[in-house]
Amino acid sequence: MFSFSEQNDMFSRRCVWVNGPVIIGAGPSGLAVGACLKEQGLPFVVLERADCIASLWQKRTYDRLKLHLPKQFCQLPKLPFPEHYPEYPTKKQFIDYLESYASHFGIKPQFNESVESAKYDEVCRSWRIRTVSTQGSTRSEVEYICQWIVVATGENAERVVPEIAGLGDFGGEVIHACEYKSGEKYSGKKVLVVGCGNSGMEVSLDLCNHNAKPSMVSRSSVHVLPREIFGKSTFELAMMMMKWLPLWLVDKILLILTWFILGNTDSYGLKRPSIGPMELKSTHGKTPVLDIGALEKIRSGDIEVVPGIKKFSKTMVELDNGEELDIDSVVLATGYCSNTPFPNGWKGNTGLYAVGFTKRGLSGASSDAMKIAQDISRVWKEDLKQKKQKVPTHRRCISTF
């Protein structure tokens, strides 16, 4: 990689030319792109605002978390999970895998660098990416200049905190699920879990297992499926059927099998959407809940399913049906959102690429990562042949910065 830097003492700003793409984000998607580029022999730089890779997994997930899908659907390109890993790896095992993945491909992100802006310079035909890094009282700025930019910040970069009447008046603890680690400190307490997706279900189950008393808010409809059917992953079974059957029929079969295994979830306050689970995932990106034991606790009454929230007061919550609950704490399992505009596919214009935004999980991100690396490699090799003996226009432009 050809690079140079320019230091301005007054502003503590450096300018760096990257003779390859800049990848923004060192989560699984960013690492996957880096590995694929490495296989193509292309130089690159990875920028990460946190101080570690996969910061969502390392710092914003609960202790009991496991992958909800079998490991073959979650491995990144070019390096499978170790054979001794279980079918559903734990949080620690997945983080260890990502660490070894980065080490195996020699991916060394620039940590603690937060991207402030990324603009395409029409004159220089290059991207200008401005970052800020703070070390103690020292604030430094860097401008990376490159031909390609890969946005890999993901769909879950920022937590979603809904506006709920009176929540600021509530006197107990209020946290987002990204801050929740274990139910140990909630033993004997009444906890309201807002949200009934995979996180809400699993947090409620964990609270139960630590002798807390969770009430789970189910405001909207949700598909709850068994994690396995006839000893095979439900997701794997669905993928197999979708190769041969239309989507509506796959959904019909899944829901019939689910009814035999789990019963009528509507009777527990978990209303099913009118659209089937796989069609809903395909068209709206909404993932079905894969049950790992929460439904049994709901049946037994250890987890109470309650309707939407009307308002909070200092010590209680009033529900949409008029019921009032005394509660000690609130966990907002209300999901995450992206911090960038959603791209239209993995490839944009002027060297812009995006990975991990297709709502197809880790397998979708891996597929896009391979496409991106192949596309950049093709252009890079063509440019190299055409400009081998020339000084690029954008490099002359940079020298006057």
Side-chain angles (χ1 to χ4, degrees), residues 15-178:
C15 181
V16 178
W17 164 255
V18 180
N19 191 26
V22 168
I23 303 168
I24 303 175
S29 296
L31 297 178
V33 175
C36 293
L37 289 170
K38 200 83 169 185
E39 288 286 291
Q40 296 284 348
L42 270 67
F44 59 89
V45 168
V46 181
L47 304 177
E48 170 56 51
R49 66 178 177 176
D51 60 0
C52 62
I53 66 168
S55 61
L56 174 65
W57 280 87
Q58 299 217 45
K59 298 185 175 185
R60 294 186 287 162
T61 51
Y62 37 89
D63 295 341
R64 64 162 290 134
L65 180 63
K66 293 183 179 182
L67 294 179
H68 289 130
L69 301 181
K71 59 184 179 181
Q72 66 264 32
F73 295 106
C74 302
Q75 63 192 23
L76 302 185
K78 317 294 181 181
L79 187 69
F81 281 100
E83 289 187 7
H84 69 274
Y85 270 31
E87 187 171 16
Y88 301 95
T90 64
K91 166 185 171 178
K92 182 182 184 306
Q93 288 172 326
F94 187 57
I95 292 170
D96 288 346
Y97 167 72
L98 295 177
E99 295 278 9
S100 64
Y101 189 88
S103 176
H104 178 83
F105 291 103
I107 302 171
K108 299 177 181 178
Q110 303 291 319
F111 292 118
N112 299 305
E113 288 207 44
S114 180
V115 174
E116 295 284 289
S117 65
K119 297 180 180 179
Y120 185 72
D121 190 322
E122 296 284 354
V123 176
C124 299
R125 291 190 298 171
S126 298
W127 283 91
R128 292 179 175 268
I129 305 165
R130 187 160 294 182
T131 70
V132 172
S133 177
T134 303
Q135 298 288 343
S137 60
T138 304
R139 173 187 167 97
S140 60
E141 296 184 12
V142 180
E143 186 171 53
Y144 293 90
I145 302 174
C146 59
Q147 187 175 348
W148 304 281
I149 178 174
V150 182
V151 181
T153 51
E155 297 165 321
N156 301 316
E158 305 291 344
R159 62 185 181 178
V160 173
V161 179
E163 292 186 10
I164 306 175
L167 184 58
D169 299 326
F170 179 64
E173 180 190 55
V174 179
I175 63 170
H176 191 270
C178 67

Side-chain angles (χ1 to χ4, degrees), residues 244-262:
W244 308 101
L245 302 174
L247 194 58
W248 69 268
L249 184 54
V250 172
D251 276 338
K252 194 78 171 177
I253 294 171
L254 285 178
L255 290 176
I256 290 172
L257 293 174
T258 296
W259 187 85
F260 277 111
I261 297 169
L262 300 181

Side-chain angles (χ1 to χ4, degrees), residues 219-234:
R219 187 182 64 175
S220 56
S221 56
V222 60
H223 278 298
V224 181
L225 306 177
R227 186 168 70 171
E228 294 184 343
I229 295 176
F230 303 138
K232 185 178 288 290
S233 157
T234 300

